[in-house]
Amino acid sequence: MQATLPARLYGSPDAWARERAGVFGRAWLFMGHEAEAAAPGDWIATDVAGHRLLAVRGKDGVLRAFHNVCRHRAGPLAQGSGGHCEGELVCAYHGWRYALDGRLRAATGFGTVEGFDSREFGLLGVRLEIWRGLAFTNLNPEAGPLTDHVAPLERLLVERELEIAAPALRRSHDLACDWKVYAENYLEGYHIGSVHPVLAGELGSAEYRVRVDGELVVQEAVGVNDGPQAGVWGWLWPNLGINVYRDGAMIERMTPVGPGRTRLDYLFLNHGGESALGDALEASDRLTGEDARICEAVQANLSAGAYDTGVLSARQEVAVAWFQSRLAEVHA
């Protein structure tokens, strides 16, 4: 019998600090689709667990990632989730200018300072690798290659002859719950009958299975071969849902923004663009709303003080057990 993680780890500043370093400081983190930064000077930016990251397309066509922080006094180089700069990145605080490959081009108005060498003040680079058009960064220089991380998902897509389409639309939702609460909800189908009545009706009598394969959790409704639920439902450690269908895909990043606070970042992909998404947006909003309500209620109960630990079902919550076991190592 496996007990759950203790309630004190959900919303705790200390737990947040350990996970920020021990989970998100060491894992492959999804940035976006490379087509969102297609031309030189195009950039995409995000923050995950307080790690503020920026990827910009260089004049040589290479997409590079950096910490979104100026080397002078930590001003931001890019503000927002995406945009374009004309040939250089400019700090919004004091105007220091950087080439698209990260070199400091000009310490604007800084003057002459003994010992200052601009070559030592380039942007802080971050590893970036691309898989099927999706850009991931990793703050850990010793991490294994992205191809190893996504290998189980790659096998599934090849086996089922599925492709990842072009980006069509981004959406975000803010939740008043710890990122772990939402991730654990995502990792089991145990709650579907109670929380998602429409989805339960679509699944009908199909058997819902969850299995863990390396860094990937695979969820399948056995017997559902057509319709809106056909395809591959995957969840990639530490915080990424990747659902791929015949006519497109939906990527859901469970982004921790602080103790007890989460932002869901959605990227919908479809070669026909936003107009081709059809009922996918309505279904996504409905499911997100249902999950948000139950996850925020769970967070309120975790914070109320009565509950400490529970118990996990070996039949229904195998992926939750795997997830919590990995986190227990970070908090040991």
Side-chain angles (χ1 to χ4, degrees), residues 3 17 35 46 56 59 74 100 106 153 157 172 175 177 185 194 200 212 220 222 233 243 274 281 285 287 289 301:
T46 192
V56 61
K59 293 182 178 180
L100 300 182
L153 183 56
L157 297 186
S172 294
L175 302 183
C177 69
N185 175 78
S194 300
V212 179
E220 298 174 294
V222 180
W233 306 344
N243 303 319
E274 181 178 350
L281 293 180
D285 286 346
L287 291 169
N301 281 342

Side-chain angles (χ1 to χ4, degrees), residues 227-248:
Q229 305 309 328
V232 169
W233 306 344
W235 184 91
L236 198 61
W237 173 268
N239 66 331
L240 194 68
I242 304 181
N243 303 319
V244 185
Y245 309 101
R246 292 292 173 191
D247 59 351

Side-chain angles (χ1 to χ4, degrees), residues 185 188-200 290-291 294:
N185 175 78
E188 47 94 346
Y190 196 13
H191 69 282
I192 289 176
S194 300
V195 177
H196 302 302
V198 175
L199 177 58
E290 292 166 349
D291 282 328
I294 194 63

